[in-house]
Amino acid sequence: MNRETALQIGRFMILVLVQVMVLNHINFLGYLNPYIYIIFILLAPININKSLFLVSSFILGLIMDFFGDSGGVHAAACTIIAFFRPVALRSVFGLSYEFQTLKLSNLRFGEKFIYVILMVLTHHIVLFSLEIFNFSHILLIAKKTLFSSLLTIIVTMLVLVLFRRNDS
Amino acid sequence: MQQIINFLIRNKHSLLFLLLLFISLVFTIQSHSYHRSKFVSSTNFISGGVYGWQHSISDYFKLKNENTRLLEENERLYNQLSAFGVDSVSKKHIDTLRYTVPYTFTKARVIKNDYSKIDNYILINKGEKDSIKPDMGVITDKGIIGIIENTSKHYSRVISILNSNSRINAGLKKSNQYGSLVWNGEDPNIVQLETIPRQAILKEGDTIITHGRSTIFPRGIGIGTILNYKLNQNKNYYLIDVKLFNDMTNIGFVYTIKNNNAEEIKSLEKSEYE
């Protein structure tokens, strides 16, 4: 097991613990929680084995469901953003992704921001549509998606900036 | 055949994706229907353990508050006892086996409480080992909390009244009209009482209690007071907003209720249908 794998596994566990024990209890303004555990999916290496990536994202989501008693909503949302991550990467970073020269740890702020927005919005739309699962509540879905996404994006960007790895 | 295998290999990522998505959607749909055997639940050993551990830390910070609540409850119960002319020592039954009480209460602690979603669940630290079974009621000193839905050896999951699947019989304290208690997903301290017939005489501030029409809750457990009410569209029923006695965002200890006559009642009801 090399250093990169250990880093991913460590990140996975820390994110799960932080999410479950701290962030799920924030309930900002009564109902808003930032879901930053998807940082694992955002920062997974570009050249990771696709099947492994899908399965590990699914398991990450499922663990969230086990802790949150939410059925399979996190698992579904995580699987979907893991599957569509290449699309998001290609549309945001273009050529540097195609030629595999991209490094997620040293990106310009603007590009990283757009990438995070895309992924978080997709995740939250799926998450809240499945969680509420009722089209008569479509306004509620929109409201929750919008405000939760805002919170998640802010917290995620803070985490990404504060815990940046200095590649030597 | 070769082509099929080639197709599978070429699309293995998409197929894996579809498989995983399918599994998660099955879990999701299962979680939205009441009373299915549920695989994804926080009653398991790991998440129950983590929540229990977390709770054992945060417990300390609530002690003062909970002590006050317990004292208040004791005070109220002593006052009721003295109103019935019973002193607290005279009625001690040593032979508890022979003494048939209709309901048995068991204390439990809440180790996880949700209130910000549409389908909220509460995790308590008593399970099958303490003879907790599904379909037992859960209350606090102030009022009802929910119904046990899923149990493991040491933990049970309570379907909170703040859950779109929850429907509990409730009615007015001063009359016998009753309806069902649901939640619209907005305010965690306000639930809705539906299908109270138009003939009922309502006033803001009236007390809503359980009516004991099922085997889950005994009659007369408090729920809340009427905040406001209006008639529904075809003017047959009232829609009532009920302000809960409990603060659902702050629940420490609860009691589960076991109906000792449940089996008898159920077998009687069953024989009626046959």
Side-chain angles (χ1 to χ4, degrees):
Chain A
M1 185 158 46
N2 59 8
R3 196 164 154 269
E4 187 63 29
T5 322
L7 176 85
Q8 296 300 328
I9 293 173
R11 187 186 280 154
F12 186 98
M13 305 220 293
I14 290 174
L15 282 172
V16 166
L17 280 181
V18 169
Q19 181 69 47
V20 167
M21 303 195 57
V22 183
L23 296 174
N24 278 354
H25 305 280
I26 286 186
N27 290 322
F28 182 59
L29 297 181
Y31 62 94
L32 293 179
N33 288 323
Y35 294 104
I36 67 153
Y37 67 92
I38 59 167
I39 287 177
F40 171 78
I41 298 170
L42 296 177
L43 289 190
I46 301 286
N47 51 3
I48 191 174
N49 180 328
K50 256 188 165 178
S51 310
L52 179 71
F53 181 47
L54 275 176
V55 171
S56 56
S57 305
F58 174 76
I59 291 173
L60 175 67
L62 202 61
I63 292 175
M64 284 300 137
D65 286 324
F66 268 110
F67 275 100
D69 284 303
S70 46
V73 297
H74 286 282
C78 283
T79 318
I80 284 176
I81 61 165
F83 186 72
F84 288 108
R85 189 176 84 135
V87 180
L89 283 170
R90 194 170 296 129
S91 61
V92 176
F93 302 114
L95 278 182
S96 59
Y97 170 69
E98 301 281 350
F99 292 116
Q100 306 268 318
T101 53
L102 183 66
K103 273 203 155 172
L104 286 174
S105 47
N106 47 5
L107 291 173
R108 273 186 290 125
F109 183 82
E111 287 180 332
K112 202 191 276 182
F113 193 50
I114 295 173
Y115 171 56
V116 170
I117 290 179
L118 261 180
M119 297 287 276
V120 169
L121 267 183
T122 319
H123 176 265
H124 281 41
I125 289 173
V126 177
L127 180 72
F128 288 113
S129 317
L130 288 179
E131 184 186 303
I132 295 169
F133 211 62
N134 188 342
F135 276 108
S136 58
H137 280 125
I138 197 148
L139 272 178
L140 188 67
I141 296 177
K143 191 177 84 175
K144 276 196 157 183
T145 309
L146 189 65
F147 292 119
S148 274
S149 303
L150 269 178
L151 193 63
T152 307
I153 290 167
I154 293 169
V155 178
T156 307
M157 285 314 286
L158 277 178
V159 172
L160 289 186
V161 170
L162 290 176
F163 292 89
R164 193 169 45 192
R165 282 159 73 202
N166 298 323
D167 274 352
S168 49
Chain B
M1 194 64 202
Q2 186 69 36
Q3 276 182 338
I4 295 174
I5 293 172
N6 276 342
F7 173 80
L8 287 181
I9 292 174
R10 218 172 335 118
N11 291 315
K12 64 178 180 200
H13 299 308
S14 311
L15 289 173
L16 181 67
F17 166 68
L18 288 179
L19 174 74
L20 294 177
L21 193 65
F22 177 73
I23 297 173
S24 44
L25 286 180
V26 167
F27 285 150
T28 307
I29 290 165
Q30 225 177 45
S31 81
H32 284 288
S33 56
Y34 187 52
H35 261 249
R36 290 274 197 89
S37 67
K38 275 165 195 169
F39 170 66
V40 180
S41 154
S42 58
T43 51
N44 67 71
F45 169 70
I46 297 173
S47 52
V50 169
Y51 281 127
W53 178 64
Q54 182 191 23
H55 178 74
S56 64
I57 299 171
S58 60
D59 225 14
Y60 273 108
F61 302 104
K62 297 177 192 156
L63 279 180
K64 201 174 166 190
N65 192 353
E66 289 190 4
N67 265 328
T68 324
R69 270 179 78 169
L70 281 175
L71 278 175
E72 277 168 8
E73 189 188 3
N74 269 337
E75 185 192 11
R76 204 185 72 230
L77 293 175
Y78 271 124
N79 282 335
Q80 276 177 12
L81 271 183
S82 71
F84 285 121
V86 188
D87 64 55
S88 55
V89 268
S90 66
K91 276 251 175 177
K92 270 202 176 144
H93 289 261
I94 295 160
D95 189 1
T96 50
L97 278 176
R98 296 267 164 202
Y99 182 50
T100 51
V101 283
Y103 296 97
T104 317
F105 293 76
T106 315
K107 67 177 192 306
R109 292 197 138 278
V110 172
I111 56 177
K112 182 204 130 202
N113 178 21
D114 278 340
Y115 46 86
S116 59
K117 294 189 260 180
I118 286 278
D119 295 320
N120 296 295
Y121 295 94
I122 295 167
L123 193 67
I124 61 174
N125 69 346
K126 290 278 162 74
E128 284 155 17
K129 249 186 139 184
D130 311 274
S131 68
I132 306 283
K133 293 196 182 70
D135 283 339
M136 285 166 64
V138 180
I139 61 168
T140 67
D141 53 323
K142 291 180 182 158
I144 65 167
I145 293 289
I147 297 169
I148 303 264
E149 190 208 35
N150 195 325
T151 56
S152 71
K153 202 168 170 196
H154 296 283
Y155 303 99
S156 346
R157 183 165 80 163
V158 181
I159 175 165
S160 160
I161 44 174
L162 307 183
N163 188 312
S164 61
N165 291 325
S166 147
R167 278 178 185 275
I168 292 171
N169 265 329
L172 299 162
K173 190 181 180 186
K174 61 178 183 185
S175 73
N176 269 326
Q177 275 121 345
Y178 67 100
S180 56
L181 201 68
V182 294
W183 188 50
N184 62 7
E186 280 164 19
D187 190 322
N189 284 321
I190 295 170
V191 294
Q192 282 68 39
L193 184 61
E194 287 180 342
T195 63
I196 292 276
R198 191 177 57 164
Q199 289 77 10
I201 302 158
L202 302 177
K203 223 168 67 186
E204 280 171 24
D206 279 357
T207 309
I208 305 289
I209 57 171
T210 59
H211 260 198
R213 279 171 210 280
S214 63
T215 54
I216 298 172
F217 291 105
R219 191 190 157 86
I221 290 186
I223 294 172
T225 52
I226 296 181
L227 195 69
N228 55 56
Y229 56 90
K230 61 172 192 286
L231 281 169
N232 73 347
Q233 279 176 343
N234 43 15
K235 306 223 180 270
N236 287 329
Y237 293 110
Y238 280 113
L239 298 172
I240 304 171
D241 280 338
V242 180
K243 173 103 179 62
L244 292 172
F245 289 134
N246 275 313
D247 180 1
M248 291 298 288
T249 61
N250 178 18
I251 313 168
F253 55 89
V254 293
Y255 304 101
T256 61
I257 309 172
K258 182 180 174 222
N259 188 338
N260 294 324
N261 301 325
E263 276 177 26
E264 196 181 328
I265 296 171
K266 272 183 188 150
S267 69
L268 193 65
E269 278 177 345
K270 213 175 163 190
S271 67
E272 256 172 39
Y273 289 124
E274 276 164 5

